[in-house]
Amino acid sequence: MSRCRNMVDLGRRQFLRGSALMAASATVAAAGAAPQAKAATPAARVEYPSNRLANVSELKLNEPLEVTYPDPDAPGVLLKLGIRVEGGAGPDGDIVGFSTICPHKGYPLSYSADSKTFNCPGHYSVFDPEKGGQQVWGQATQNLPQYALRIAENGDIFAEGVDELIYGRLSNVL
C-alpha cells in the first residue's frame, strides 16, 4: 500500500488567513478582468489505488472489520449491515466501508452495534451507516467519508475511492 501524499496539518487561523487572502485576490482579479466566456473544465479527480481490504467471508453481521484506506494512516471499517442500503456493495447491497476519523476534529470514532451508529468521543457527533454515513447529531459539518467498494467474483472486497474529505487531507474525493 502506498502512503497518501495529500495529508496536511492546517489550523483554523491558517485556514482563515488563507481564505481571506484568496477572497481578496479574487476580488482584485474580478475587478480588473473583462467579462468573457470560459469553457467549463472538468473537476479534478484524485486517483486512489484499488486496494483489497478483505473478503466477504470475513464479515459478520453488524460487526465492524478494521481496515485502512487509502493508506496505513487512514483507519476505517467494513461493515455488513444486513439490509440493502444506498452505496452498499455485495450480492445483498449491504456491505459498506467508512473512514473512522471524525470529519469535525479528527477524533477516532467507535461503532455502537446496539444503535448501529458511529460515535465521536470528542464532540459527540453521531453518524448513521445505513444512511451513507450521514451525520445525525453533533458538531461535524460533513458526513462520514464512505468508501467506493467493489466486490470481486471470489468475494474479495476492494476500495476504489472515497466520497467525502478525510480529516487532515487537502484532497481525496472522487
Side-chain angles (χ1 to χ4, degrees), residues 81-140:
L81 296 171
I83 61 169
R84 183 174 295 278
V85 295
E86 187 173 335
D92 301 322
D94 66 341
I95 299 171
V96 292
F98 293 96
S99 166
T100 54
I101 303 172
C102 183
H104 177 232
K105 291 285 185 178
Y107 285 93
L109 300 175
S110 62
Y111 181 72
S112 168
D114 294 335
S115 63
K116 293 186 176 184
T117 58
F118 288 99
N119 305 296
C120 179
H123 297 102
Y124 309 109
S125 291
V126 177
F127 303 90
D128 187 345
E130 292 180 350
K131 296 180 180 172
Q134 179 180 6
Q135 178 198 339
V136 294
W137 181 259
Q139 302 290 324

Side-chain angles (χ1 to χ4, degrees), residues 4 32 67 123 132 139 150:
C4 184
V67 296
H123 297 102
Q139 302 290 324
R150 175 179 58 84

Side-chain angles (χ1 to χ4, degrees), residues 23-67:
S25 298
T27 302
V28 169
Q36 53 182 294
K38 290 187 176 182
T41 58
R45 177 180 174 186
V46 174
E47 294 295 329
Y48 270 130
S50 178
N51 288 349
R52 181 191 179 279
L53 301 179
N55 188 282
V56 172
S57 64
E58 299 173 59
L59 298 177
K60 295 178 182 165
L61 185 63
N62 202 29
E63 290 184 24
L65 177 67
E66 292 184 10
V67 296

